[in-house]
Amino acid sequence: MTILHAFTGEEDVQGLIDGIFGAFEEEYPDIEVLQEGSNDFESLARTRIGAGNAPDIILHPQPGLLEDFYNQGVVMPLDDVADVGRIEEEAVSGLLDLVTFDDELYAIPVRLSLKSLVWYNPKVFEAGGYEIPETWDEMIELTETMAADDIVDAPWCIGIESGDATGWVATDWVEDIVLRALGPEEYDQWVAGELEFSSPEVQGAIEEYLVPIWTNDDYVFGGQEQIAREAFGTSVTGILGDPEEGVECGLHRQATFIQGFIEESDPEAEFGEDFDFFYLPVIEDGYDGRTTMGGGDFAALYTENPAAETLIAWLSTPEAGEGWAAQGGFLSPYAPVFDASVYPSDSARTASDILAESDAFRFDGSDTMPGDVGASSQTGSFWIEMTDWIQGNQDLEQALADIDAFYAEVRG
């Protein structure tokens, strides 16, 4: 059985091979898994499919390519392969919407990452008597209080510099806001290009919930001009430190992976004591529920190979992820029923709880839009236009109109 995937980093490859495939081969010793990872995953997948030489299974890091292959009629439905009813009951709410087409399931979720988090320093919260906000309005009130107090230099640390990828942090903020303000259905329309960036709904949400934080120099460490200069990986370290000795900022919105940057900066820092995170709060006037945004990997079947069907069915169980979860770098897509005691860290267990309580999970929007629009350094892209706006090179209205124009051009 052959499997194509996009994992090339040592930790991910080890987790996949040892934690997933190793456990499967122990249970099914007569089935050999031949896996191939590629930095040029999408191009290779398209080439293999186009040449009629499809791997048995493809692990998709984004649902967009899967949908392309569904439209070509080359991917297999899974209703007769896995227990779809059980998966629907056990998976994170809304997750299967991303890989269901014409009421049939076409992929099995394998792993998730979570982006909808705000990182903070518990010592700062204790010193200021601050409480974890439950709503966006409460978070703004906390921001105002922090700005007035002298416990931190500024409420927020925000950095979007990332070399050729500068701006992706801004897109993540916008995506979380649109998802909370408009809800999953309109979020999907926006990602698909059916609801414009410059629409009253999307532009209005950005103006109401992003602009008041990002453009207030009292709220951002270093002021608005520092946002595009500050590297995303070092920005989070501003929350670290002892309040008595000075701490740069109180809050930082970022995904689970940022913990690695924190630990690299301060190997002695401990989760729950020196740093922690909470769920990015709901917008009360928006979607009536808790939404989460992140990324993930989905396994799709491309041949009628009984061995591959066995692996798909096995991957559809929460227990299949326990080996990888124990190694770290993994969040189960079956968070509502997953045995969280398997995770090696309190941070993973906390993130899993947030996923389990979610009413709707959606993929990172910029990663799901056409690549030129959502994730490129071309003029008119989401990354570039948001960066130009925050640098003061153009106003927000023009930036959003430019993205719409480029999206229309890319779609033809």
Side-chain angles (χ1 to χ4, degrees):
M1 167 180 39
T2 58
I3 298 176
L4 177 64
H5 58 81
F7 298 119
T8 56
E10 182 177 350
E11 182 178 346
D12 284 343
V13 170
Q14 182 177 353
L16 181 67
I17 294 177
D18 296 342
I20 298 289
F21 297 153
F24 174 76
E25 289 176 331
E26 283 186 12
E27 189 162 340
Y28 297 93
D30 294 335
I31 299 178
E32 182 181 9
V33 177
L34 302 176
Q35 57 82 31
E36 178 183 4
S38 173
N39 284 320
D40 195 21
F41 162 80
E42 181 169 340
S43 177
L44 181 58
R46 290 187 185 278
T47 298
R48 294 278 298 274
I49 293 294
N53 184 31
D56 296 307
I57 292 173
I58 294 179
L59 290 184
H60 289 268
Q62 299 170 1
L65 181 61
L66 172 68
E67 187 170 5
D68 285 350
F69 288 155
Y70 162 75
N71 290 330
Q72 295 176 31
V74 296
V75 60
M76 313 285 289
L78 302 180
D79 293 52
D80 296 330
V81 177
D83 186 346
V84 174
R86 177 190 55 76
I87 298 169
E88 290 174 341
E89 291 180 359
E90 297 181 342
V92 170
S93 181
L95 181 59
L96 299 188
D97 294 346
L98 302 170
V99 290
T100 298
F101 311 112
D102 290 335
D103 298 323
E104 287 190 294
L105 185 69
Y106 279 84
I108 297 297
V110 176
R111 180 182 71 158
L112 293 184
S113 61
L114 178 59
K115 292 195 171 188
S116 304
L117 303 175
V118 179
W119 297 77
Y120 71 100
N121 183 334
K123 295 175 182 177
V124 167
F125 271 54
E126 182 179 357
Y130 305 140
E131 296 183 357
I132 302 298
E134 297 291 332
T135 67
W136 197 276
D137 285 346
E138 290 180 3
M139 189 173 72
I140 295 301
E141 291 174 4
L142 174 60
T143 298
E144 293 170 349
T145 301
M146 284 184 170
D149 293 344
D150 60 359
I151 296 172
V152 294
D153 294 338
W156 289 90
C157 273
I158 305 173
I160 69 171
E161 193 282 322
S162 186
D164 290 341
T166 294
W168 67 261
V169 174
T171 69
D172 281 4
W173 268 81
V174 171
E175 288 152 10
D176 253 330
I177 286 171
V178 171
L179 185 56
R180 280 158 175 69
L182 306 185
E185 291 186 7
E186 288 192 69
Y187 177 89
D188 293 343
Q189 294 171 11
W190 169 61
V191 169
E194 298 166 5
L195 181 63
E196 292 188 333
F197 280 77
S198 57
S199 66
E201 296 89 346
V202 175
Q203 183 170 330
I206 296 171
E207 289 175 341
E208 185 169 357
Y209 301 109
L210 178 73
V211 171
I213 297 174
W214 280 48
T215 63
N216 189 326
D217 287 350
D218 292 333
Y219 289 174
V220 179
F221 182 74
Q224 177 180 339
E225 67 177 14
Q226 182 64 17
I227 291 177
R229 299 173 181 170
E230 182 70 35
F232 79 92
T234 59
S235 180
V236 67
T237 61
I239 68 169
L240 299 175
D242 189 328
E244 294 184 0
E245 299 175 2
V247 176
E248 290 180 352
C249 48
L251 305 167
H252 181 80
R253 185 225 157 272
Q254 192 48 274
T256 46
F257 75 84
I258 205 66
Q259 182 168 339
F261 288 84
I262 294 173
E263 293 172 342
E264 182 179 352
S265 173
D266 185 357
E268 303 300 319
E270 295 186 11
F271 180 81
E273 182 175 330
D274 300 295
F275 64 96
D276 206 328
F277 58 72
F278 58 81
Y279 168 74
L280 181 67
V282 299
I283 292 175
E284 288 183 297
D285 294 332
Y287 173 68
D288 185 19
R290 287 170 62 93
T291 59
T292 48
M293 192 263 292
D297 305 286
F298 299 89
L301 183 66
Y302 286 83
T303 68
E304 295 181 349
N305 182 337
E309 292 179 358
T310 299
L311 176 57
I312 288 287
W314 183 80
L315 286 172
S316 74
T317 65
E319 294 76 20
E322 290 182 354
W324 195 348
Q327 295 183 35
F330 175 96
L331 287 175
S332 174
Y334 303 100
V337 298
F338 191 75
D339 180 8
S341 67
V342 173
Y343 290 117
S345 67
D346 289 338
S347 60
R349 285 185 282 273
T350 302
S352 182
D353 289 343
I354 291 173
L355 285 170
E357 295 168 2
S358 175
D359 296 307
F361 179 92
R362 283 297 185 268
F363 232 72
D364 179 303
S366 60
D367 285 345
T368 312
M369 296 171 185
D372 287 344
V373 176
S376 81
S377 55
Q378 299 180 62
T379 299
S381 74
F382 198 177
W383 285 356
I384 292 299
E385 298 305 318
M386 291 304 296
T387 301
D388 281 350
W389 162 67
I390 202 61
Q391 288 178 320
N393 297 333
Q394 63 180 335
D395 61 29
L396 180 63
E397 182 177 359
Q398 185 61 55
L400 300 180
D402 286 347
I403 301 172
D404 286 333
F406 188 51
Y407 204 144
E409 178 184 332
V410 169
R411 295 179 71 184

